[in-house]
Amino acid sequence: MVAYPNSGAIYDPTTKVWTHSHAVDKVFSNQALKWHGLGCKWFGGCCYTSSKEIRLLKETFAAIL
């Protein structure tokens, strides 16, 4: 299983604008832990995912693996 989510930003199709929230900084990696528990072994990133989110993934999984 592979997960390839966006950064947690929300897209408004009416205004065609992405909204970013600093409140979702760890949501990406916390969700990845849930997906890992369900069998996902590969993670990537899509729209607006940056090295910051990938670094958080690395830190999150380093703590448990």
Side-chain angles (χ1 to χ4, degrees):
M1 192 180 328
V2 175
Y4 195 63
N6 72 20
S7 65
I10 298 170
Y11 183 73
D12 182 334
T14 304
T15 62
K16 298 180 176 24
V17 173
W18 286 92
T19 303
H20 304 274
S21 169
H22 295 293
V24 298
D25 281 350
K26 292 213 91 161
V27 169
F28 188 86
S29 57
N30 288 337
Q31 287 296 328
L33 285 174
K34 291 179 186 178
W35 302 324
H36 183 263
L38 294 170
C40 188
K41 302 299 180 204
W42 293 89
F43 301 91
C46 194
C47 303
Y48 285 98
T49 302
S50 69
S51 59
K52 176 183 175 185
E53 286 80 23
I54 302 303
R55 185 181 73 254
L56 287 170
L57 275 176
K58 180 181 175 183
E59 291 169 2
T60 299
F61 281 95
I64 66 162
L65 299 178

